[in-house]
Amino acid sequence: MNQTIFELKPPCDKIVSQSLRNSKLEPFWLDDAAPFSVFPSCNEDAHADLVIVGGGFLGLWSALMAKERNPARSVILLEGRTIGHAASGRNGGFCSPSITHGEKNGTQRWADEMDQLRRLGLRNIAEFEETLRRYQIDCDFERTGSLTVAIEPYQIDELEGPGLLSQEEVRAEVNSPTYLAGRWNREGSAMLHPAKLLHGLTRVATELGVCIFENSAVAKLAREGHEVVLELASGARVRASRVILATNAYPSLLRRYRYHTIPVYDYVLMTEPLSAAQMSSIGWHHRQGVSDMGNQFHYYRLTRDNRILFGGYDAIYHYGGDVKAGYEDREDSYRTVAKHFFTTFPQLAGIRFTHRWAGAIDTSTQFCAFFATAMRGRVHYGAGFTGLGVGATRFAANVLLDRCEGLSTERTKLRMVRKMPLPFPPEPMRYLSIQLARWSLNRADHNGGRRNLYLRVLDALGLGFDS
């Protein structure tokens, strides 16, 4: 077994320990943005044409566009905690045009639709940006493109497509001694500030007439006649003609889909702002979002004030699939991410991390969103974005609204939209299979990228797994 670059050139423990000292266990985005509006809890019975469960990107886009489509439609949004407290406030802020979790994943599953999926994804991001302009939502949106880097020799041959960069060229873009080659995809991808986007979407939705309730968890759904009744933990009952479920990594309110997603925890660090000298040492003048090509990969980007967000690699699934705050403070994961940061940028030794945090990714076996309908077309559900939901949630919201309205559109006719992914197995097989996959991926990263029999079987079944 070969050693990876992160094992061959690790930083000293003192640098890592000092960098994490006094870091705050809190998402930087939520700490950096202005305080959110406080919305009341729903403690009394209510009624609406459309009720949306979940106050993240998917729920807010659904609410906003529902009112744009039909201003007379009454819309209630129910959030179990506070707006953006889960994945939408904890992600890296990479806004990708892909609605298939990348070109490779899409081509392997829906090759016959890829031209169409690519076009719809690019149109979605263009409309996303147009919405920001129209409503004057300032979320630090930057069309930077994305830089994919090879950090092991075997990865060089896997680079393909336009924008290929030699070792010298890629290091001229971002100066890391780990880079061997790269590809700069200038088309579509943007960086943004997730909490500022949440602020903007919330503001616009309320201005359009959406009624938002926080700390209003839904306990169960039931169909009564031509309506759906949502029973809240508070005891209140909310009636609706149509319901959209946008609950991300949390267990689905539709029991039959509880095994279609699992929560995988991702760990992230944010540095203090870089000085002019530090910025000069790394270049990065075009401010692309960066990811490497490992099975256990890292992603990183600059913020508006030149901090570096660095995350990924250590994706953790906890037995039972629970989503718990206690899983967020995992010292081993933060130390691993910090070590890999200083291997990537040894010239930044001495910099400190101001924030560390984790979030649960709603992972599906097809790596991108799936869509389900229940209660004779009255309830519509979307989940499984697998870490690329910042842009794709807007596309998904349009799919869910099309279905709510009974429309047959280009979106709803897609095989990608109509096909349900395979569910994960029940415990303990789920935990054991995921741990075996993680072990196998780590082994592949140490073995020239060669995938063992277990990974090849998963690939053949359409159940590929990465970090």
Side-chain angles (χ1 to χ4, degrees), residues 71-264:
R73 172 166 36 193
S74 57
V75 179
I76 290 176
L77 187 150
L78 300 170
E79 164 54 45
R81 293 179 62 182
T82 55
I83 295 295
H85 83 278
S88 296
R90 296 169 179 269
N91 59 83
F94 286 65
C95 188
S96 169
S98 176
I99 54 178
T100 62
H101 203 280
E103 189 78 10
K104 183 178 179 181
N105 185 57
T107 301
Q108 287 177 338
R109 299 176 191 278
W110 305 288
D112 58 319
E113 291 186 340
M114 273 310 293
D115 287 346
Q116 188 179 14
L117 290 166
R118 214 176 285 118
R119 173 175 54 77
L120 288 171
L122 289 169
R123 188 175 83 186
N124 178 60
I125 293 300
E127 292 173 351
F128 187 119
E129 187 173 13
E130 190 279 326
T131 300
L132 300 181
R133 283 196 299 267
R134 179 156 37 95
Y135 291 115
Q136 298 182 322
I137 297 174
D138 181 5
C139 60
D140 302 351
F141 188 89
E142 295 182 89
R143 285 270 198 159
T144 61
S146 58
L147 188 65
T148 304
V149 295
I151 57 174
E152 301 292 343
Y154 75 88
Q155 296 169 0
I156 299 173
D157 292 336
E158 295 179 7
L159 285 168
E160 56 185 23
L164 292 178
L165 303 174
S166 67
Q167 182 179 64
E168 183 180 42
E169 289 169 333
V170 72
R171 291 185 181 181
E173 288 297 327
V174 183
N175 184 19
S176 170
T178 65
Y179 296 172
L180 304 177
R183 184 183 71 245
W184 182 5
N185 184 348
R186 300 170 187 248
E187 191 175 48
S189 291
M191 301 297 111
L192 56 76
H193 189 304
K196 291 182 181 180
L197 176 58
L198 288 164
H199 270 290
L201 295 177
T202 303
R203 170 181 60 81
V204 175
T206 54
E207 288 173 354
L208 293 176
V210 176
C211 187
I212 297 177
F213 294 100
E214 292 182 313
N215 298 303
S216 300
V218 177
K220 68 177 184 177
L221 306 173
R223 183 166 64 89
E224 292 187 5
H226 296 293
E227 293 186 317
V228 179
V229 176
L230 299 91
E231 297 186 13
L232 276 57
S234 66
R237 289 161 57 91
V238 180
R239 307 180 73 89
S241 300
R242 294 290 184 270
V243 174
I244 286 176
L245 301 179
T247 50
N248 192 37
Y250 287 92
S252 176
L253 288 163
L254 300 171
R255 189 173 296 275
R256 76 187 76 167
Y257 300 117
R258 294 247 173 116
Y259 288 165
H260 283 76
T261 61
I262 57 170
V264 175

